[in-house]
DNA sequence: TTGGCTGCAAAATATTTGCAGAACA
DNA sequence: TGTTCTGCAAATATTTTGCAGCCAA
């Protein structure tokens, strides 16, 4: 991970411990939509003494600062996405892989009042369920 | 709940116990997107000896037969929707209320290959986050 | 009659919390 | 140095499971 990226976290107010840097590195550019356990296991390889509490604490700090999104995709456990730019997800019902779909919903669709009935939309997440290319 | 509705469940292969009928009645036309605990509490009023295991068992049976959908909305607990016709949801970030939005995504938007990259979409769920009319 | 359902309790899983010691700033 | 973070363990919350007895078909 580049020093500039690390410094960006520092500027955002993160206290930079080695554990946190290991988590930042694990998440940087990661498109696998990991769960807390995935992050724990992945970071444990490089930093064997890390604890679950630290993973959860760091995820929480990242969420608070808008550096990570919690995905509403898997009812069994939470998954996280370090890509916070607006996009959506595909979920393969065969292999359970979560993929990214870059598609600007707001650009394509204008919601009309009849749909909204007074609700003010700030953001949206779309889950597309189906079969991925590998499984087809 | 109408007798015909009850009979429909019977035809679908449900063994009709009083507990199950109480759950069917609780869910029938329910637009509150209840959690398992909500269902448990609601049914307990009319059927005080019901257990959590029965609620979970019945939800599972309903899901298997396509009579109830599990919503990917709340990372803390699962919510269920007895309305299985295609629709989406609004989540108020102030009061946490889950609302329905009837909007045919497939009708409005044609996903192009560039977005799909080999993924075959079978269904979709959209979560709209924002503020509901009551909270505005 | 019997296979499936219920209720109880225990287990499993995921996440949160309390706290003493460590370490970043 | 002081505040924040870490790691451990215990607590909490949700969902699942095992099993003996019950009951709808």
């Amino acid at each position: 991970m580049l020093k500039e990226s690390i410094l960006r976290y520092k500027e955002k107010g993160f206290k930079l411990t080695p554990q946190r840097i290991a988590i930042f590195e694990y998440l940087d550019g990661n498109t696998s939509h990991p769960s807390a356990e995935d992050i724990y296991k992945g970071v444990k390889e490089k930093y064997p003494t890390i604890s679950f509490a630290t993973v959860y604490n760091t995820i929480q700090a990242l969420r608070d600062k808008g550096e990570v999104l919690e995905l509403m995709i898997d009812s069994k456990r939470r998954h996280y996405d370090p890509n916070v730019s607006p996009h959506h997800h595909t979920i393969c019902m065969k292999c359970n892989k979560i993929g990214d779909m870059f598609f600007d919903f707001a650009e394509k669709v204008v919601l009309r009042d009849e749909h909204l009935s007074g609700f003010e939309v700030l953001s949206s997440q779309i889950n597309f369920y189906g079969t991925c290319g590998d499984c087809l």
Side-chain angles (χ1 to χ4, degrees), chain A:
Chain A
M1 196 182 205
L2 296 170
K3 259 185 194 164
E4 301 108 61
S5 302
I6 297 289
L7 286 177
R8 193 169 58 81
Y9 285 107
K10 193 168 185 174
E11 278 158 21
K12 282 238 174 184
F14 287 97
K15 185 176 273 196
L16 293 178
T17 66
Q19 293 90 334
R20 288 183 159 193
I21 291 171
I23 293 171
F24 298 157
E25 284 176 348
Y26 178 84
L27 289 175
D28 188 49
N30 189 317
T31 60
S32 71
H33 311 90
S35 64
E37 191 180 5
D38 295 332
I39 297 170
Y40 174 72
K41 283 181 180 167
V43 171
K44 208 174 172 67
E45 288 178 17
K46 286 198 173 179
Y47 204 94
T49 66
I50 198 161
S51 75
F52 246 106
T54 298
V55 172
Y56 277 108
N57 285 340
T58 303
I59 291 171
Q60 190 56 57
L62 286 165
R63 289 220 298 144
D64 290 345
K65 298 223 163 58
E67 295 288 320
V68 149
L69 281 180
E70 180 183 306
L71 304 183
M72 300 301 179
I73 280 187
D74 181 351
S75 63
K76 290 207 188 312
R77 62 191 64 78
R78 299 181 194 172
H79 291 258
Y80 300 95
D81 195 337
N83 183 350
V84 295
S85 65
H87 67 288
H88 307 289
H89 296 96
T90 55
I91 300 98
C92 178
M93 292 160 81
K94 289 203 176 180
C95 70
N96 294 313
K97 193 167 58 196
I98 300 169
D100 289 308
M101 180 182 282
F102 295 92
F103 171 86
D104 189 339
F105 182 83
E107 186 186 275
K108 302 283 180 188
V109 177
V110 178
L111 291 171
R112 307 240 299 280
D113 288 344
E114 60 188 275
H115 302 122
L116 294 167
S117 55
F119 190 94
E120 185 187 40
V121 174
L122 295 174
S123 68
S124 63
Q125 281 191 22
I126 312 182
N127 297 340
F128 295 95
Y129 298 94
T131 317
C132 73
D134 295 344
C135 288
L136 275 172

